Amino acid sequence: MKTSDDELQSIVEKQEYKWGFVTDIESDRAPKGLNEEIVRFISAKKEEPEWLLEWRLKAYRHWLTLEEPKWPMLKYGPIDYQDAYYYAAPKEKLASMDEVDPELIETFNKLGIPLEEQKALAGVAVDAVFDSVSVATTFREKLHEDGVIFCPFSEAVKDHPDLVRKYLGSVVPYSDNFFAALNSAVFTDGSFCFIPKGVRCPMELSTYFRINEANTGQFERTLIVAEEGSHVSYLEGCTAPMRDENQLHAAVVELVALDDAEIKYSTIQNWYPGNKEGVGGIYNFVTKRGACRGRNSKISWTQVETGSAITWKYPSCILQGDNSVGEFYSVALTNNYQQADTGTKMIHIGKNTKSTIVSKGISAGRGQNSYRGLVQIMKGATNSRNFSQCDSMLIGNDCGAHTFPYIDVRNPSSQVEHEASTTKIGEDQIFYCHSRGIALEDAVNMIVNGFCKEVFRELPMEFAVEAQKLLAVSLEGSVG
Amino acid sequence: MLEIKELKARIGDKEILKGINLTIRAGEVHALMGPNGSGKSTLAQALAGREEYEVTGGEVTYEGKNLLDLAPEDRACEGIFLAFQYPVEIPGVSTLYFLKAAMNAMNKYHGRSALDAMDFLALAKKKMSDLNMDQSLLHRSVNEGFSGGEKKKNEIFQMAMLDPKLAILDETDSGLDIDALRIVADGVNRLRDPARAILVVTHYQRLLEYIVPDRVHVLSDGRIVKSGGKELALELEKRGYSWVKEQAGDTSPAVS
């Protein structure tokens, strides 16, 4: 027993974070701290219209009245919001891809995200966000042919102001919560996607977020609108350098699906998790929500959360349109001193709405992993159904798994099912693998990947393989 | 092939094996019988390297090597296979994937190149049909939701695929109906080979009607108290384990 637990632990600990390098590039920063001047500074940098500045300022003033949520199962010291930079951008202003700083292109190459279209993964368009700005977006022309808009958020504000104004804050109002209000005040960039009526987006869209500067926060904003009968699959990835200070990442993602539209949103979150002793790492406080506004619309969230010192996120679906469908598939892994409080909300409003929740939490080292989810069936949501499955796996003796399911049903014709399990990666399973010649590390990877299979198969194929590798890397040293 | 001398092992504070002596040569099939609690499964698992079973004395030589020095996965790579009494479930991992990982681990251990995926699949399908087993099992998660019989058959299938030098079957007959027992026995008999040794651990003589052993050993209270030819199994069936115990001078009541 003992040997195996220690050995398990050692597998998870061995691996270094491979994405932890720093790019040496001159950057343009806002003065440190947060006040109305900073909000105006950011808005001016982005050359924003007056209405957006007003919206930011309202958000900022509202934020001042709020307090950080204390209900999550997360322990961390106080965050000094004045001790950070809220805007940092590589100095060179870019007019086209040819002018992108080679240093930046090299950075993204190192991260496995080539920005030159000819080298890019076929069928995937990428928006690359570096600290506070988008540095490149590939395949825009090609997408444009189909009427798909995929561009940095700040450009969308300039080029498609009506669309932005119509949908910004319509799913996550600035007053939604502490971190959403903060984001609304100081968000810098992110991606904007618009899929017009009847169009099936011909490529995977993806955004790669990279934090580089020290002492900066990243506050991106993503807005995806799928018009009637359209379809889009979007993926985001994220990494950051290894630093001893904690850095804040507070994003907001809004999705809108109209009649018969479908949005598939996948996340592979690999922010720097901090070191083995729990020093450093990203504080990841993210609000993600999708509105199934139209009939027969569908929003599906898939997330693989392996990074960050702290993860606080609940990608949710508001199932407003009749027959709309919401899905949430999640793998969250906490190792060493990582903590995650993550889950989803499925709000059933329309008739015959359906939701599925599959959550797989893996805790290793001293990691703490909580699933927190709300399934709410409103009065008018006749014949609605939810199925939830929350499984936790423990590796070693010092980690924890917690489940907080909230179920609120106000309609008698609806059905809600909840299944939960907690397993410890078993001696029996490991010995069984050993007896077939499979060494400890491979055995653990195999068992954990098997545990996550239902979620991985929801990912676009190219990324499913990446996710499996990432999980293996994040686990190394955890088995003992 | 295998030489066990005065092997002693315990679980926690409890001494289970109290000095086992047993020699098995290539080409032989040995049956190890004994009442519940006599130490049969402990011996099988200790040979495969289960860490909960702490070896406290004696030695085990396998193919000229000190077996007790080898990690469990290395023992498997050296050709020892244990068919489990209670095969373990691995949700989400298909039997095919599992076996491929096993075979690749063994290939790597011996410095051989990895198996071609198509060759592997063809081999797996052939072994399945040899054993008269349903091929859908290949794509199901390892042992998950399998019936007792399917689990045992899966062990025999894995054994056929991994082609061990020394196969240890730990109560593979328990919980099998007569048809499944025939399939399992048939699978074992197919593997009889002058280069291979097989140790069948069983509680009942029934299995030995199908797998006829060269030698039969009776284990009682952590020691082999009687050894003989295949007729010993029949005699045991007639007289019961108490007969052997009396002969061995063990007066403690049988553990059930």
Side-chain angles (χ1 to χ4, degrees), chain A residues 280-299:
Chain A
I282 302 292
Y283 286 172
N284 191 35
F285 292 93
V286 172
T287 306
K288 290 185 170 173
R289 196 172 302 153
C292 284
R293 295 229 168 113
R295 292 172 61 86
N296 311 316
S297 57
K298 178 176 174 184
I299 289 179

PDB file of all heavy atoms in Angstrom, chain A residues 280-299:
ATOM      1  N   GLY A 280       3.335  30.691  -6.296  1.00  0.00           N
ATOM      2  CA  GLY A 280       3.063  31.200  -7.638  1.00  0.00           C
ATOM      3  C   GLY A 280       1.848  30.528  -8.262  1.00  0.00           C
ATOM      4  O   GLY A 280       1.119  29.784  -7.612  1.00  0.00           O
ATOM      5  N   GLY A 281       1.648  30.842  -9.537  1.00  0.00           N
ATOM      6  CA  GLY A 281       0.513  30.260 -10.248  1.00  0.00           C
ATOM      7  C   GLY A 281      -0.569  31.289 -10.502  1.00  0.00           C
ATOM      8  O   GLY A 281      -0.600  32.349  -9.880  1.00  0.00           O
ATOM      9  N   ILE A 282      -1.425  30.983 -11.453  1.00  0.00           N
ATOM     10  CA  ILE A 282      -2.470  31.909 -11.858  1.00  0.00           C
ATOM     11  C   ILE A 282      -3.718  31.713 -10.990  1.00  0.00           C
ATOM     12  O   ILE A 282      -4.076  30.590 -10.644  1.00  0.00           O
ATOM     13  CB  ILE A 282      -2.834  31.666 -13.346  1.00  0.00           C
ATOM     14  CG1 ILE A 282      -1.603  31.842 -14.249  1.00  0.00           C
ATOM     15  CG2 ILE A 282      -3.984  32.558 -13.794  1.00  0.00           C
ATOM     16  CD1 ILE A 282      -1.071  33.249 -14.370  1.00  0.00           C
ATOM     17  N   TYR A 283      -4.322  32.836 -10.631  1.00  0.00           N
ATOM     18  CA  TYR A 283      -5.643  32.793 -10.009  1.00  0.00           C
ATOM     19  C   TYR A 283      -6.646  32.970 -11.133  1.00  0.00           C
ATOM     20  O   TYR A 283      -6.711  34.027 -11.760  1.00  0.00           O
ATOM     21  CB  TYR A 283      -5.814  33.940  -9.011  1.00  0.00           C
ATOM     22  CG  TYR A 283      -5.061  33.771  -7.704  1.00  0.00           C
ATOM     23  CD1 TYR A 283      -5.006  34.816  -6.774  1.00  0.00           C
ATOM     24  CD2 TYR A 283      -4.427  32.568  -7.381  1.00  0.00           C
ATOM     25  CE1 TYR A 283      -4.326  34.674  -5.571  1.00  0.00           C
ATOM     26  CE2 TYR A 283      -3.747  32.433  -6.178  1.00  0.00           C
ATOM     27  CZ  TYR A 283      -3.700  33.487  -5.282  1.00  0.00           C
ATOM     28  OH  TYR A 283      -3.033  33.344  -4.096  1.00  0.00           O
ATOM     29  N   ASN A 284      -7.397  31.955 -11.386  1.00  0.00           N
ATOM     30  CA  ASN A 284      -8.256  31.932 -12.563  1.00  0.00           C
ATOM     31  C   ASN A 284      -9.721  32.063 -12.127  1.00  0.00           C
ATOM     32  O   ASN A 284     -10.329  31.095 -11.669  1.00  0.00           O
ATOM     33  CB  ASN A 284      -7.998  30.591 -13.279  1.00  0.00           C
ATOM     34  CG  ASN A 284      -8.612  30.521 -14.648  1.00  0.00           C
ATOM     35  OD1 ASN A 284      -8.672  31.518 -15.357  1.00  0.00           O
ATOM     36  ND2 ASN A 284      -9.092  29.350 -15.026  1.00  0.00           N
ATOM     37  N   PHE A 285     -10.247  33.274 -12.253  1.00  0.00           N
ATOM     38  CA  PHE A 285     -11.643  33.517 -11.844  1.00  0.00           C
ATOM     39  C   PHE A 285     -12.440  33.900 -13.090  1.00  0.00           C
ATOM     40  O   PHE A 285     -12.304  35.022 -13.592  1.00  0.00           O
ATOM     41  CB  PHE A 285     -11.720  34.661 -10.831  1.00  0.00           C
ATOM     42  CG  PHE A 285     -11.097  34.336  -9.509  1.00  0.00           C
ATOM     43  CD1 PHE A 285      -9.779  34.654  -9.243  1.00  0.00           C
ATOM     44  CD2 PHE A 285     -11.846  33.706  -8.526  1.00  0.00           C
ATOM     45  CE1 PHE A 285      -9.201  34.360  -8.011  1.00  0.00           C
ATOM     46  CE2 PHE A 285     -11.280  33.408  -7.286  1.00  0.00           C
ATOM     47  CZ  PHE A 285      -9.948  33.729  -7.031  1.00  0.00           C
ATOM     48  N   VAL A 286     -13.211  32.986 -13.572  1.00  0.00           N
ATOM     49  CA  VAL A 286     -13.788  33.159 -14.894  1.00  0.00           C
ATOM     50  C   VAL A 286     -15.305  32.973 -14.875  1.00  0.00           C
ATOM     51  O   VAL A 286     -15.814  32.091 -14.191  1.00  0.00           O
ATOM     52  CB  VAL A 286     -13.151  32.123 -15.854  1.00  0.00           C
ATOM     53  CG1 VAL A 286     -13.835  32.121 -17.189  1.00  0.00           C
ATOM     54  CG2 VAL A 286     -11.661  32.427 -16.027  1.00  0.00           C
ATOM     55  N   THR A 287     -15.990  33.861 -15.599  1.00  0.00           N
ATOM     56  CA  THR A 287     -17.442  33.727 -15.723  1.00  0.00           C
ATOM     57  C   THR A 287     -17.773  33.367 -17.169  1.00  0.00           C
ATOM     58  O   THR A 287     -17.470  34.132 -18.080  1.00  0.00           O
ATOM     59  CB  THR A 287     -18.138  35.059 -15.364  1.00  0.00           C
ATOM     60  OG1 THR A 287     -17.689  35.465 -14.066  1.00  0.00           O
ATOM     61  CG2 THR A 287     -19.647  34.893 -15.357  1.00  0.00           C
ATOM     62  N   LYS A 288     -18.334  32.199 -17.351  1.00  0.00           N
ATOM     63  CA  LYS A 288     -18.676  31.752 -18.703  1.00  0.00           C
ATOM     64  C   LYS A 288     -20.136  31.359 -18.713  1.00  0.00           C
ATOM     65  O   LYS A 288     -20.575  30.584 -17.861  1.00  0.00           O
ATOM     66  CB  LYS A 288     -17.832  30.534 -19.094  1.00  0.00           C
ATOM     67  CG  LYS A 288     -16.391  30.871 -19.304  1.00  0.00           C
ATOM     68  CD  LYS A 288     -15.593  29.691 -19.796  1.00  0.00           C
ATOM     69  CE  LYS A 288     -14.218  30.183 -20.210  1.00  0.00           C
ATOM     70  NZ  LYS A 288     -13.303  29.135 -20.557  1.00  0.00           N
ATOM     71  N   ARG A 289     -20.854  31.902 -19.673  1.00  0.00           N
ATOM     72  CA  ARG A 289     -22.275  31.579 -19.699  1.00  0.00           C
ATOM     73  C   ARG A 289     -22.778  31.621 -21.136  1.00  0.00           C
ATOM     74  O   ARG A 289     -22.346  32.461 -21.926  1.00  0.00           O
ATOM     75  CB  ARG A 289     -23.049  32.594 -18.855  1.00  0.00           C
ATOM     76  CG  ARG A 289     -24.458  32.138 -18.506  1.00  0.00           C
ATOM     77  CD  ARG A 289     -25.096  33.093 -17.510  1.00  0.00           C
ATOM     78  NE  ARG A 289     -24.300  33.211 -16.295  1.00  0.00           N
ATOM     79  CZ  ARG A 289     -24.298  34.285 -15.513  1.00  0.00           C
ATOM     80  NH1 ARG A 289     -25.022  35.340 -15.818  1.00  0.00           N
ATOM     81  NH2 ARG A 289     -23.548  34.312 -14.421  1.00  0.00           N
ATOM     82  N   GLY A 290     -23.650  30.702 -21.444  1.00  0.00           N
ATOM     83  CA  GLY A 290     -24.230  30.670 -22.778  1.00  0.00           C
ATOM     84  C   GLY A 290     -25.735  30.777 -22.673  1.00  0.00           C
ATOM     85  O   GLY A 290     -26.345  30.209 -21.760  1.00  0.00           O
ATOM     86  N   ALA A 291     -26.326  31.522 -23.613  1.00  0.00           N
ATOM     87  CA  ALA A 291     -27.776  31.636 -23.636  1.00  0.00           C
ATOM     88  C   ALA A 291     -28.303  30.915 -24.867  1.00  0.00           C
ATOM     89  O   ALA A 291     -27.982  31.281 -25.996  1.00  0.00           O
ATOM     90  CB  ALA A 291     -28.187  33.105 -23.673  1.00  0.00           C
ATOM     91  N   CYS A 292     -29.082  29.861 -24.632  1.00  0.00           N
ATOM     92  CA  CYS A 292     -29.783  29.201 -25.723  1.00  0.00           C
ATOM     93  C   CYS A 292     -31.089  29.977 -25.903  1.00  0.00           C
ATOM     94  O   CYS A 292     -32.119  29.631 -25.328  1.00  0.00           O
ATOM     95  CB  CYS A 292     -30.064  27.745 -25.383  1.00  0.00           C
ATOM     96  SG  CYS A 292     -28.628  26.673 -25.520  1.00  0.00           S
ATOM     97  N   ARG A 293     -31.007  31.064 -26.679  1.00  0.00           N
ATOM     98  CA  ARG A 293     -32.176  31.936 -26.793  1.00  0.00           C
ATOM     99  C   ARG A 293     -33.213  31.352 -27.722  1.00  0.00           C
ATOM    100  O   ARG A 293     -34.403  31.584 -27.573  1.00  0.00           O
ATOM    101  CB  ARG A 293     -31.746  33.291 -27.367  1.00  0.00           C
ATOM    102  CG  ARG A 293     -30.819  34.027 -26.446  1.00  0.00           C
ATOM    103  CD  ARG A 293     -31.195  35.455 -26.203  1.00  0.00           C
ATOM    104  NE  ARG A 293     -30.385  35.914 -25.078  1.00  0.00           N
ATOM    105  CZ  ARG A 293     -29.436  36.844 -25.167  1.00  0.00           C
ATOM    106  NH1 ARG A 293     -29.214  37.460 -26.317  1.00  0.00           N
ATOM    107  NH2 ARG A 293     -28.734  37.171 -24.105  1.00  0.00           N
ATOM    108  N   GLY A 294     -32.752  30.642 -28.753  1.00  0.00           N
ATOM    109  CA  GLY A 294     -33.694  30.178 -29.766  1.00  0.00           C
ATOM    110  C   GLY A 294     -34.206  28.775 -29.503  1.00  0.00           C
ATOM    111  O   GLY A 294     -33.646  28.028 -28.689  1.00  0.00           O
ATOM    112  N   ARG A 295     -35.269  28.454 -30.222  1.00  0.00           N
ATOM    113  CA  ARG A 295     -35.805  27.093 -30.155  1.00  0.00           C
ATOM    114  C   ARG A 295     -34.765  26.141 -30.726  1.00  0.00           C
ATOM    115  O   ARG A 295     -34.032  26.477 -31.643  1.00  0.00           O
ATOM    116  CB  ARG A 295     -37.075  26.981 -31.005  1.00  0.00           C
ATOM    117  CG  ARG A 295     -38.266  27.758 -30.480  1.00  0.00           C
ATOM    118  CD  ARG A 295     -39.390  27.723 -31.505  1.00  0.00           C
ATOM    119  NE  ARG A 295     -39.831  26.352 -31.765  1.00  0.00           N
ATOM    120  CZ  ARG A 295     -40.745  25.719 -31.032  1.00  0.00           C
ATOM    121  NH1 ARG A 295     -41.326  26.320 -30.017  1.00  0.00           N
ATOM    122  NH2 ARG A 295     -41.085  24.476 -31.317  1.00  0.00           N
ATOM    123  N   ASN A 296     -34.722  24.943 -30.176  1.00  0.00           N
ATOM    124  CA  ASN A 296     -33.829  23.884 -30.669  1.00  0.00           C
ATOM    125  C   ASN A 296     -32.362  24.292 -30.715  1.00  0.00           C
ATOM    126  O   ASN A 296     -31.588  23.726 -31.485  1.00  0.00           O
ATOM    127  CB  ASN A 296     -34.222  23.430 -32.087  1.00  0.00           C
ATOM    128  CG  ASN A 296     -35.698  23.145 -32.203  1.00  0.00           C
ATOM    129  OD1 ASN A 296     -36.277  22.516 -31.325  1.00  0.00           O
ATOM    130  ND2 ASN A 296     -36.323  23.644 -33.257  1.00  0.00           N
ATOM    131  N   SER A 297     -31.982  25.261 -29.947  1.00  0.00           N
ATOM    132  CA  SER A 297     -30.574  25.637 -29.959  1.00  0.00           C
ATOM    133  C   SER A 297     -29.804  24.746 -28.993  1.00  0.00           C
ATOM    134  O   SER A 297     -30.391  24.085 -28.137  1.00  0.00           O
ATOM    135  CB  SER A 297     -30.417  27.112 -29.591  1.00  0.00           C
ATOM    136  OG  SER A 297     -31.000  27.355 -28.333  1.00  0.00           O
ATOM    137  N   LYS A 298     -28.470  24.771 -29.158  1.00  0.00           N
ATOM    138  CA  LYS A 298     -27.664  23.893 -28.309  1.00  0.00           C
ATOM    139  C   LYS A 298     -26.333  24.551 -27.976  1.00  0.00           C
ATOM    140  O   LYS A 298     -25.671  25.101 -28.858  1.00  0.00           O
ATOM    141  CB  LYS A 298     -27.411  22.584 -29.057  1.00  0.00           C
ATOM    142  CG  LYS A 298     -26.551  21.612 -28.284  1.00  0.00           C
ATOM    143  CD  LYS A 298     -26.416  20.295 -29.022  1.00  0.00           C
ATOM    144  CE  LYS A 298     -25.426  19.395 -28.285  1.00  0.00           C
ATOM    145  NZ  LYS A 298     -25.185  18.146 -29.006  1.00  0.00           N
ATOM    146  N   ILE A 299     -25.977  24.487 -26.718  1.00  0.00           N
ATOM    147  CA  ILE A 299     -24.644  24.959 -26.310  1.00  0.00           C
ATOM    148  C   ILE A 299     -23.970  23.851 -25.514  1.00  0.00           C
ATOM    149  O   ILE A 299     -24.552  23.283 -24.595  1.00  0.00           O
ATOM    150  CB  ILE A 299     -24.732  26.252 -25.471  1.00  0.00           C
ATOM    151  CG1 ILE A 299     -25.147  27.420 -26.395  1.00  0.00           C
ATOM    152  CG2 ILE A 299     -23.388  26.556 -24.795  1.00  0.00           C
ATOM    153  CD1 ILE A 299     -25.300  28.751 -25.702  1.00  0.00           C
TER     154      ILE A 299
END
